[in-house]
Amino acid sequence: MARTLYDKLWDSHLVRTESDGTGLIYIDRHLVHEVTSPQAFEGLKLAGRKPWRVDSIVATADHNTPTTDWDKGIEDPISKLQVDTLDANIREHGAKAYFPFLDQRQGIVHVIGPEQGATLPGMTVVCGDSHTSTHGAFACLAHGIGTSEVEHVLATQCLVQKKMKNMLVRVSGTLAPWVSGKDIALALIGKIGTAGGTGYAIEFAGSAISQLSMEGRMTLCNMAIEAGARAGMIAVDDKTVDYLHGLNFSPKGELWSAAEKYWRTLRTDDGASFDLTIDLDADQLIPQVSWGTSPEMVVPVDGRVPDPEKEKDEVKREGIERSLVYMGLQPNTQIADIKIDKVFIGSCTNSRIEDLRIAAHVVRGKHVANNVKLAMVVPGSGLVKAQAEKEGLDKIFVESGFEWRQPGCSMCLAMNNDRLEPGERCASTSNRNFEGRQGAGGRTHLVSPAMAAAAAIEGHFVDVRRLATN
Amino acid sequence: MEKFLKLEGLVAPLDRANVDTDAIIPKQFLKSIKRSGFGVNLFDAWRFKDVGEPGVDVSKRTVNPDFVLNQSRYQGAQILLARKNFGCGSSREHAPWALSDFGFKAVIAPSFGEIFFNNSLKNGLLPIVLRESEVEQLFSDVNAFDGFKLIVNLEEQVVSTVDLAKAFAFDIDPFRKHCLLNGLDDIGLTLQHVDQIKQFEERHRASQPWLFS
């Protein structure tokens, strides 16, 4: 029977099935960070258990780490204890790879997995972090789990799961220059809502997906969770294989040949059926900007903030009204008329080398607007940072008035000192515009790196296609 | 995990859609390495007018009297009534930990964020999906009647009013129901299948050796 990519990944990891259809799924890669793992290791210890397979573990500290003054260490004692706890747990049990705070290969867990070749096609990948969907860009079954499940994977190398339904998001046509994977993600969420993908594994396919780089694909799969789908994925093609060749943990020699042969089967069979198909037309897509406090509250850059009066559904209308108050916005305001206070280019969504190249291209030779108090670039990993510096991107950013920081999750969720103050408005390349996400009272607008860079230069949102020179 | 027995509890309404886990427990409280103590900071940005930080004495905080959980009639509520997509966003299990620690034993909504849903089940916090129209009726009732209570009967998979005038059936996976009713933790159950996992692992290693190199 013709199978989808998700069906194949499920079938190839199914250890057993219970009578009610619940499956026990084997996990190949377990990514671990400091925030969601301490209680899992503690639970393991209390039960007298040991990790099943430590060479499945890749660990790093990313959420709490500072992005400035690394010589001072982690100043917040509570953050430091959490990072030290990860350190102690990994040193006690071991791991395939551990990139602690200050290591040159440290970085956001969803950046370093692919960059190290620790994320390989056909794997099941889990992490106590909802943006684990990122790794689906490599035809993995990858999704976030809670801390109890982290403990479960540590103890058994398996997860108890119900099989999800299959959704196909087919993006036809060709993306215009300066329109990106981020814009596809935001447009999709605007269309199907933040619960539109609940219960589904999403496969992204179509000409516009084939044209995306691996970085663009990671951005798109990263945000599957914002559409409610725990997992997003994309079939293997030449770009996938080329990206992985020669990476640190990629297979070598004969193993590489065998692996590549298998990986190329990781695509949906002709004639396989999906429970739901959503069509998007890349030809019609223009840069997107979120205006509210949910990623589904998004409009094209030439659009306006919505008017709650026009919403018939009462719960939705109240949601719009509440968001407008929180965001300090008036109905019908042109998106291009919204001024910003800060710019954040970073996060597991958009902090890879291609993101930084695009943003640097936009700001080169220009300067951050006077009304922008802070514009910062936080590379996704130490290796991304080193590559960007090799290409001189750091100088372009600094000369344009950006701060060039150390890698980490930073102001995507503001667990470290990088945050918005109450009322501050930010153009952010991150993934969530929830109330308080980037700091209590902070106002987040989600955009692509190109759009964030353009907003930094103009001091308000602007269609990057008008600002940038091709 | 504690067994989930029949529950009769006071209901508190949270009348907004898409309540995310960042709202349920904000990021600054995730720095704890414990599983307990999150209840005092449940919905922190909504319950309090000042910005909360870990370790701050709650009695010295400025309470937001308008927030529903601060109203006297909802003190001691064990059932949270919510709107669609409750618990969307981050995978933080601190969200169900905070709800449980605060005293909630069940959350009723038309839909849930999936990771939150799973995390809740593993902590004896029962997420109950009812139809939108049923949830709407319950919102009307809880607003109309002080001290409005519901009975949650997991065995029968029914939520009912105390006078039994209204009763709504709900679905739950048989496996999850079994775990909740008996207070079983997953790990112990999975480890009953050690041999099968080992056999799978050997086959997997043979077919994709690069995953183990």
Side-chain angles (χ1 to χ4, degrees), chain A residues 12-16 20 24 26 28 35 39 49 52-53 64 76 78-79 82 96 123 128-130 144-149 151-152 156 160 162 194-195 198-199 228 230 251 255 259 262-263 296 322 413-415 432 434-437 439-440, chain B residues 15-18 20 22 27 30-35 38 46 51 53-54 83 85 89-94 97 112 114-115 118-119 122-123 173-176 185-188 190-191 193-194 196-198 200-201 204 208-213:
Chain A
S12 62
H13 290 86
L14 191 60
V15 175
R16 57 177 277 121
D20 69 348
L24 190 65
Y26 187 84
D28 296 312
V35 179
Q39 296 89 346
R49 293 172 177 139
W52 182 283
R53 183 157 83 84
N64 278 280
D76 175 356
I78 311 176
S79 287
Q82 198 165 56
K96 180 181 181 72
M123 276 183 168
D129 193 291
S130 60
I145 55 177
T147 297
S148 293
E149 290 177 319
E151 186 181 335
H152 194 281
T156 70
V160 178
K162 282 285 277 200
T194 51
T198 303
R230 279 186 301 156
L255 272 184
Y262 173 65
W263 294 345
E296 71 187 28
R322 195 179 292 119
L413 87 166
M415 269 189 86
R432 289 186 175 135
F434 299 155
E435 287 184 22
R437 171 79 179 182
Chain B
D15 195 359
R16 50 175 94 187
N18 297 317
D20 56 77
D22 274 79
K27 88 294 298 298
L30 310 190
K31 295 176 185 178
S32 167
I33 57 170
K34 298 183 179 149
R35 270 176 196 262
F38 295 100
W46 295 342
V51 176
E53 288 298 334
R83 295 288 186 183
N85 206 22
S90 155
S91 64
R92 60 189 70 172
E93 197 160 318
H94 313 68
W97 292 340
F112 289 91
E114 261 181 284
I115 305 177
N118 287 338
N119 287 342
K122 287 173 194 276
N123 288 279
D173 285 344
F175 175 73
R176 287 292 158 216
D185 86 287
D186 284 11
I187 296 177
T190 298
L191 286 174
H193 308 298
V194 163
Q196 229 175 333
I197 299 170
K198 284 185 173 163
F200 175 90
E201 196 167 47
H204 200 50
Q208 296 183 58
W210 56 87
L211 295 178
F212 294 81
S213 61

Side-chain angles (χ1 to χ4, degrees), chain A residues 90-274:
Chain A
I90 298 298
R91 294 200 193 285
E92 180 182 347
H93 297 290
K96 180 181 181 72
Y98 176 43
F99 306 118
F101 176 51
L102 301 179
D103 189 290
Q104 215 233 333
R105 298 157 298 172
Q106 177 266 354
I108 305 172
V109 69
H110 307 309
V111 174
I112 64 170
E115 151 182 290
Q116 292 289 335
T119 300
L120 296 173
M123 276 183 168
T124 43
V125 180
V126 296
C127 177
D129 193 291
S130 60
H131 291 111
T132 308
S133 57
T134 309
H135 307 265
F138 294 85
C140 295
L141 173 55
H143 59 78
I145 55 177
T147 297
S148 293
E149 290 177 319
V150 171
E151 186 181 335
H152 194 281
V153 174
L154 285 172
T156 70
Q157 210 57 39
C158 293
L159 264 187
V160 178
Q161 291 287 295
K162 282 285 277 200
K163 194 174 178 202
M164 296 180 256
K165 290 180 284 184
N166 280 290
M167 181 193 294
L168 174 64
V169 172
R170 192 165 42 199
V171 192
S172 57
T174 305
L175 287 176
W178 305 105
V179 184
S180 67
K182 182 64 161 285
D183 299 302
I184 297 176
L186 289 171
L188 172 69
I189 299 161
K191 183 179 170 113
I192 69 173
T194 51
T198 303
Y200 292 95
I202 297 180
E203 180 176 348
F204 298 98
S207 54
I209 305 302
S210 302
Q211 289 152 23
L212 282 179
S213 65
M214 290 313 295
E215 284 88 348
R217 295 177 189 184
M218 283 187 257
T219 300
L220 181 56
C221 290
N222 171 280
M223 290 197 66
I225 184 64
E226 309 317 329
R230 279 186 301 156
M233 61 193 71
I234 294 172
V236 169
D237 65 7
D238 289 345
K239 283 183 185 168
T240 325
V241 173
D242 291 347
Y243 182 98
L244 292 167
H245 193 79
L247 295 180
N248 191 18
F249 293 122
S250 289
K252 309 286 185 310
E254 281 179 23
L255 272 184
W256 169 266
S257 308
E260 185 188 341
K261 191 174 166 209
Y262 173 65
W263 294 345
R264 293 208 182 258
T265 69
L266 296 172
R267 52 187 293 278
T268 290
D269 295 330
D270 292 341
S273 69
F274 287 86

Side-chain angles (χ1 to χ4, degrees), chain A residues 350-391:
Chain A
N350 280 127
S351 64
R352 297 178 183 84
I353 190 67
E354 181 189 80
D355 300 317
L356 305 193
R357 285 177 187 144
I358 290 169
H361 191 99
V362 173
V363 305
R364 184 198 301 266
K366 303 185 178 80
H367 202 277
V368 169
N370 286 334
N371 61 300
V372 175
K373 290 183 241 175
L374 172 71
M376 62 197 283
V377 183
V378 182
S381 70
L383 295 186
V384 169
K385 182 168 185 272
Q387 178 63 31
E389 288 171 356
K390 200 170 137 194
E391 297 176 22

Side-chain angles (χ1 to χ4, degrees), chain B residues 2-209:
Chain B
E2 267 181 53
K3 290 181 185 178
F4 189 100
L5 303 171
K6 197 169 160 183
L7 166 69
E8 180 176 331
L10 186 68
V11 182
L14 185 59
D15 195 359
R16 50 175 94 187
N18 297 317
V19 171
D20 56 77
T21 53
D22 274 79
I24 297 172
I25 182 82
K27 88 294 298 298
Q28 62 269 39
F29 307 109
L30 310 190
K31 295 176 185 178
S32 167
I33 57 170
K34 298 183 179 149
R35 270 176 196 262
S36 56
F38 295 100
V40 289
N41 300 112
L42 176 72
F43 297 120
D44 199 86
W46 295 342
R47 273 172 59 214
F48 300 99
K49 289 189 161 178
D50 55 343
V51 176
E53 288 298 334
V56 172
D57 182 354
V58 175
S59 66
K60 300 192 171 111
R61 309 260 324 259
T62 315
V63 170
N64 174 8
D66 297 334
F67 184 61
V68 65
L69 294 186
N70 288 333
Q71 294 168 17
S72 58
R73 62 187 279 199
Y74 300 121
Q75 298 314 300
Q78 292 183 295
I79 299 170
L80 186 67
L81 182 64
R83 295 288 186 183
K84 81 168 177 73
N85 206 22
F86 184 85
C88 60
S90 155
S91 64
R92 60 189 70 172
E93 197 160 318
H94 313 68
W97 292 340
L99 285 160
S100 292
D101 196 36
F102 192 81
F104 288 111
K105 303 228 180 296
V107 184
I108 299 173
S111 61
F112 289 91
E114 261 181 284
I115 305 177
F116 172 84
F117 188 88
N118 287 338
N119 287 342
S120 296
L121 289 169
K122 287 173 194 276
N123 288 279
L125 176 71
L126 180 62
I128 299 171
V129 177
L130 294 185
R131 292 196 189 104
E132 206 128 5
S133 58
E134 295 166 344
V135 169
E136 196 61 59
Q137 286 184 51
L138 293 177
F139 267 102
S140 301
D141 289 347
V142 74
N143 289 328
F145 306 113
D146 246 351
F148 180 72
K149 287 186 172 184
L150 286 170
I151 296 171
V152 176
N153 187 331
L154 176 59
E155 183 71 55
E156 302 287 325
Q157 299 182 210
V158 173
V159 174
S160 59
T161 50
V162 177
D163 60 5
L164 305 179
K166 281 180 193 165
F168 305 120
F170 64 90
D171 274 338
I172 182 168
D173 285 344
F175 175 73
R176 287 292 158 216
K177 179 176 170 179
H178 174 72
C179 288
L180 283 165
L181 286 173
N182 296 289
L184 301 175
D185 86 287
D186 284 11
I187 296 177
L189 292 175
T190 298
L191 286 174
Q192 292 174 1
H193 308 298
V194 163
D195 291 344
Q196 229 175 333
I197 299 170
K198 284 185 173 163
Q199 285 162 17
F200 175 90
E201 196 167 47
E202 283 317 305
R203 289 200 306 275
H204 200 50
R205 187 193 296 267
S207 68
Q208 296 183 58

